[in-house]
Amino acid sequence: MSYVVLARKYRPQFFRDVVGQPHVTKTLLNGILQQRLAHAYLLSGPRGVGKTTTARILARAVNCLTPEQGEPCGRCDRCAAALDGRAMDVLEIDAASNNSVDDIRELRNAVNYAPIEGRAKVYIVDEVHMLSKPAFNALLKTLEEPPSHAYFCLATTNPQSVPQTILSRCQRFDFRRVSAGEIAGHLRLILSKEAIPFDDAALDIIARKADGSIRDSLSLLDQVIAFSGGTALRQDAVDVAGDLRLDLHFRALGLIESHSLADAFLLDEELAKLGVDPQDYIIGMEEQIILLLQIKGVGVDRTDIPMDLKADYLHVVEKISEAELVRALQLCAAAEIDVRRNFNPRVRLQLLLVKLASLERSVQLTELIERLGRATSAPTPTPAPPKPPVSPTGITGSAQPAPKPTPAPQNPAPTPAAPPFVPTPAGADGDQLRKAQDEWERICRRLAEKHNSRANLIRFGGYPMGYANGVLRINFMSSSHLEAGRALGGALRDEYSPALGPVQFDFQLGPIPSTADDKPPEEDPAVKLLMDKLGARLVQ
Ligand SMILES: [Zn+2]
């Protein structure tokens, strides 16, 4: 018998089996039971979290001959046909490869014919944001007057790219990244059913590496089992998933407290010896710092940190201030961008570790500069004047200007901080951008009251950087920030609409005005340290 991959074998067949999306499945079940289904749904969210799976369950539920409390029975002819992919009334379209207006016109013509076997025709359009503009227009006509037998499930990883006209015709479900705890629980269930020996440390490594995606976690688990020959133990997981050992990250964070340059180089040597990929390591650092900030924000019990690690995290949290963590996160994000551009990854990692070891000194230095600026500018306590443009990376000398904002204070004041100064173009678009920047801090704070950690993340790690033709470009300093921004896209649009009117977003990875990386390189304390202590020279 051939091996069936776990992701396929354990693909949820019922709403109740979908992991981590109860806000979606409950609403759909109620809709079915009360016969109040919408004719169009937008299922948005990251990859591998169950969007298409949920759409397929819905397709079976509306055509099942003997539904059980809204769930498809899974046994009748209709269910069986759908499960085998033979159902004539369930049509799946991959918009990535069928994105032309002709493809959608075909759909428009077919949609008016009554269902062939079942009660309803269900169209599942995957990656709907990939449709061309004319195709969207054609689809819109269908969504405006859908025949009563037709249901549309539009799935997308990028809802920002779906036109507002389409969005307003859909009931929207935002699927969320599944927490590491939920993923580990799901894997535990499957391994018990399969009678495969496992330990919790392995599940934790896989769950974290899967980064919110159930599908990725299952394919990783498959790899681990295949590699080990039938177990899922910690060492198996480490060998396959390349465990980024927590202690290696904690040691880097320890540099913030120890200020030990020697430790920084020792750690770097060890990472090199272990063959740790700089990019993986830096992304892992970002995740850990975000977790630590989360602990500071909402407490350890509201994170999905495994029980046995909570004490370790709390230990680290006690020693590092929020300002230091935010600063460390900015350093990691800048390093990640450089490493992605392949600017000598090994050296970037080395520099990052050295910068962490000299972090307090640099925080103090920026505070000192700030205080000096305040003392010389005016007798009244007004915000520091905008500083002249300098390079955002601090190492290259030619990148676009991104002046330095006021540094994050050690104890954030209750009044909103002055927004960072960013040059804006003249004219109406410039006005819009300025408005967007003026509102940023306030909007993030307000969102933070509703969505807490994500909004705090984008408040520190994102900033509006451009506006043209009704599209506001917001830069994010790392992929985690970008993801948080995307997840908050709808809420951001609502918050911005009073100030900007209808607005679309272009979310990008890119530089934002940061607190220190934009000084000339020789003023950077870390670089100075390298120059002073090691005789390093700047090579432009
Ligand atoms: Zn059935």
Side-chain angles (χ1 to χ4, degrees), residues 297-316:
V298 298
V300 74
D301 290 329
R302 287 183 58 189
T303 62
D304 52 40
I305 293 168
M307 225 26 191
D308 51 327
L309 292 176
K310 281 184 179 170
D312 294 342
Y313 275 92
L314 284 174
H315 190 66
V316 178

Side-chain angles (χ1 to χ4, degrees), residues 67-115:
E68 293 160 6
Q69 290 180 317
E71 297 268 18
C73 73
R75 295 179 304 271
C76 70
D77 289 352
R78 299 270 163 22
C79 282
L83 284 168
D84 292 349
R86 292 183 284 110
M88 311 280 279
D89 296 318
V90 180
L91 293 111
E92 288 195 32
I93 300 149
D94 178 12
S97 44
N98 306 286
N99 59 2
S100 73
V101 65
D102 289 339
D103 293 317
I104 298 299
R105 275 210 193 106
E106 219 171 277
L107 180 157
R108 262 182 72 194
N109 293 333
V111 83
N112 290 314
Y113 296 106

Side-chain angles (χ1 to χ4, degrees), residues 145-164:
E145 288 172 43
S148 60
H149 60 254
Y151 295 93
F152 289 86
C153 292
L154 312 179
T156 178
T157 48
N158 191 359
Q160 282 78 34
S161 306
V162 178
Q164 190 63 45

Side-chain angles (χ1 to χ4, degrees), residues 177-471:
R177 285 149 62 111
V178 184
S179 75
E182 284 169 317
I183 291 181
H186 186 58
L187 300 183
R188 193 174 296 124
L189 217 74
I190 288 175
L191 288 165
S192 307
K193 276 191 194 159
E194 296 278 315
I196 291 172
F198 67 93
D199 59 30
D200 284 349
L203 302 190
D204 184 53
I205 292 170
I206 296 170
R208 286 188 181 284
K209 186 87 180 178
D211 196 23
S213 162
I214 288 275
R215 183 166 63 219
D216 286 0
S217 77
L218 290 174
S219 67
L220 254 174
L221 182 58
D222 266 327
Q223 288 175 43
V224 170
I225 295 168
F227 169 85
S228 68
T231 57
L233 303 177
R234 183 181 180 282
Q235 195 54 47
D236 307 329
V238 170
D239 290 340
V240 172
D243 177 28
L244 291 169
R245 282 162 40 197
L246 203 54
D247 59 304
L248 291 175
H249 287 132
F250 280 177
R251 270 173 62 189
L253 291 168
L255 297 171
I256 298 174
E257 202 210 2
S258 71
H259 312 299
S260 166
L261 205 53
D263 283 351
F265 284 106
L266 276 177
L267 177 58
D268 174 63
E269 248 178 61
E270 194 173 330
L271 292 174
K273 229 186 272 167
L274 289 167
V276 172
D277 176 65
Q279 187 172 331
D280 279 356
Y281 183 76
I282 293 169
I283 290 173
M285 281 295 294
E286 289 171 5
E287 289 168 0
Q288 295 308 326
I289 295 171
I290 287 166
L291 265 178
L292 292 166
L293 282 167
Q294 233 179 330
I295 295 175
K296 281 203 186 281
V298 298
V300 74
D301 290 329
R302 287 183 58 189
T303 62
D304 52 40
I305 293 168
M307 225 26 191
D308 51 327
L309 292 176
K310 281 184 179 170
D312 294 342
Y313 275 92
L314 284 174
H315 190 66
V316 178
V317 160
E318 273 167 22
K319 290 197 244 170
I320 307 177
S321 74
E322 185 180 327
E324 285 169 333
L325 284 175
V326 170
R327 183 75 188 98
L329 187 58
Q330 287 168 330
L331 290 175
C332 290
E336 187 199 334
I337 290 175
D338 285 349
V339 168
R340 276 186 197 279
R341 289 179 188 153
N342 213 6
F343 290 162
N344 206 340
R346 193 83 250 159
V347 174
R348 293 287 146 176
L349 176 55
Q350 214 168 36
L351 189 63
L352 172 66
L353 296 174
V354 168
K355 282 182 170 183
L356 288 175
S358 60
L359 190 62
E360 198 187 55
R361 267 163 283 188
S362 73
V363 170
Q364 283 170 350
L365 194 70
T366 45
E367 265 170 20
L368 202 68
I369 292 169
E370 228 257 297
R371 244 177 276 149
L372 275 174
R374 246 185 271 139
T376 52
S377 59
T380 48
T382 48
K387 306 215 164 56
V390 273
S391 138
T393 59
I395 298 297
T396 55
S398 58
Q400 80 230 63
K404 198 179 81 62
T406 333
Q410 202 79 20
N411 294 308
T415 49
F421 172 83
V422 175
T424 48
D429 282 353
D431 287 344
Q432 287 285 82
L433 176 58
R434 260 186 298 277
K435 269 191 236 162
Q437 291 170 343
D438 289 345
E439 291 282 304
W440 179 253
E441 172 81 14
R442 202 178 51 76
I443 285 179
C444 288
R445 278 172 187 271
R446 209 164 45 213
L447 288 180
E449 287 162 21
K450 295 183 221 162
H451 308 269
N452 205 307
S453 51
R454 267 187 190 149
N456 271 328
L457 257 190
I458 65 164
R459 181 176 145 210
F460 294 121
Y463 201 66
M465 296 295 282
Y467 185 95
N469 306 319
V471 179

